[in-house]
Amino acid sequence: MTVHNRSDINELLAKGGLAPRRDLGQNFVADPNTVRRIARLAEVGPGSRVVEIGAGLGSLTLALAETGADVTAIEVDRGVVPLLRELTEEVANVTVIEADAMTLDWNALLGERDDWVLVANLPYNVATPLVCDVLDEVPQVQRMLVMVQREVAERFCAVPRTSAYGAVTVKVAYWATARIAGVVPASVFVPRPNVESALADIRRRVEPAVGVAPEPLFRLVKTAFGQRRKMLRRSLAGVVAPSVFDAAGIDSQRRPEELDVYEWGALVGAWLEATA
């Protein structure tokens, strides 16, 4: 089993009469050390079930397969899929599926087992909605290691009182713990992007961080961050009564980015109680 280098990627594209598609945000990893590093950081091996989104020409797919994990490789580009199938046809632990990850029937794909690991090189335009959808709707996925644009990874993993901290951060923190596991330089991609990438390691909690339902929590958080520079009493005016802030022990002069997920839980809990 050979993991692709830069000349392999260029030869495969030429063989298929293909070019990286901007509409799909395609940047193929062309460095064996990088994909093997990702496979190692994913902490997978024999017996592991891995779903890879955006398998492309199989650089990361083959590195994951080397670990002995069972890999389900999802690819939407029908021009690339035949090459991916050909490259993996003799690799018994890889299954290739042509599908759009944003419209997947996850239950049909993953079944009832709740020990799946999602590993992916995600383009910017789908990274945030895909990660959020998996956290919200796909409990079978227990861990994610996703390579994304560095600023997106920072948003997933941010701490309060930083510019990267936002509504997405609170959503991730509700469901999971998250950290940046490493940075990936632009030089390892074909074509070379204009930005650095980073690896976000996201691990689902046994229970959500706070004991309030996700829908009202995320609704209130999204409303507040819609005017993130304003104090909470202004960004949530007409939604949250002043007495609710007092009941939650939250100073209404604070800004949305100053509250961690536990404080958001306290505020939403008091709000729901007041409006019941």
Side-chain angles (χ1 to χ4, degrees):
M1 191 184 302
T2 302
V3 177
H4 304 330
N5 58 30
R6 187 171 298 275
S7 63
D8 294 332
I9 295 292
N10 289 327
E11 286 177 17
L12 286 166
L13 289 171
K15 176 182 177 181
L18 301 171
R21 288 177 54 178
R22 288 189 177 183
D23 62 317
L24 295 178
Q26 286 179 337
N27 296 94
F28 301 113
V29 187
D31 179 62
N33 290 331
T34 296
V35 290
R36 288 186 170 122
R37 172 189 172 210
I38 294 169
R40 185 176 68 253
L41 289 170
E43 299 174 10
V44 296
S48 299
R49 293 199 176 194
V50 176
V51 57
E52 182 194 3
I53 302 300
L57 293 170
S59 298
L60 180 55
T61 314
L62 294 173
L64 290 165
E66 279 184 346
T67 71
D70 292 321
V71 183
T72 300
I74 310 297
E75 176 54 51
V76 69
D77 184 350
R78 62 184 54 188
V80 165
V81 167
L83 286 174
L84 182 61
R85 291 192 194 280
E86 182 181 333
L87 287 163
T88 59
E89 64 183 351
E90 296 183 5
V91 185
N93 55 328
V94 173
T95 301
V96 175
I97 295 176
E98 182 181 338
D100 183 346
M102 297 306 296
T103 59
L104 267 178
D105 183 339
W106 287 97
N107 288 327
L109 179 70
L110 304 184
E112 296 183 359
R113 285 185 56 162
D114 64 354
D115 57 355
W116 286 85
V117 182
L118 188 153
V119 184
N121 169 24
L122 295 177
Y124 174 75
N125 60 332
V126 304
T128 297
L130 179 67
V131 167
C132 289
D133 284 352
V134 170
L135 288 172
D136 283 342
E137 301 170 9
V138 192
Q140 296 97 320
V141 172
Q142 287 296 302
R143 292 191 285 120
M144 289 186 264
L145 183 68
V146 292
M147 180 160 58
V148 295
Q149 189 172 333
R150 185 170 182 170
E151 69 177 47
V152 176
E154 290 171 347
R155 203 174 300 144
F156 290 154
C157 306
V159 296
R161 298 182 176 85
T162 61
S163 60
Y165 189 81
V168 168
T169 320
V170 179
K171 179 184 281 280
V172 172
Y174 176 85
W175 291 118
T177 60
R179 68 182 184 90
I180 292 180
V183 175
V184 181
S187 58
V188 305
F189 294 95
V190 174
R192 178 175 179 145
N194 296 323
V195 295
E196 274 190 325
S197 295
L199 297 164
D201 184 326
I202 300 171
R203 302 184 180 226
R204 189 180 295 276
R205 301 178 188 269
V206 176
E207 298 288 342
V210 294
V212 296
E215 193 279 329
L217 174 70
F218 300 150
R219 178 156 41 94
L220 199 68
V221 167
K222 185 177 180 180
T223 299
F225 275 99
Q227 303 180 77
R228 64 176 294 145
R229 299 302 175 197
K230 292 186 177 181
M231 292 182 287
L232 289 167
R233 64 183 176 87
R234 293 188 180 277
S235 61
L236 295 176
V239 179
V240 177
S243 59
V244 171
F245 291 105
D246 295 334
I250 302 293
D251 184 349
S252 65
Q253 297 190 71
R254 295 170 70 185
R255 290 178 170 79
E257 65 195 39
E258 296 179 40
L259 272 62
D260 63 24
V261 67
Y262 304 104
E263 291 173 305
W264 276 113
L267 181 59
V268 172
W271 176 55
L272 291 174
E273 187 174 330
T275 55

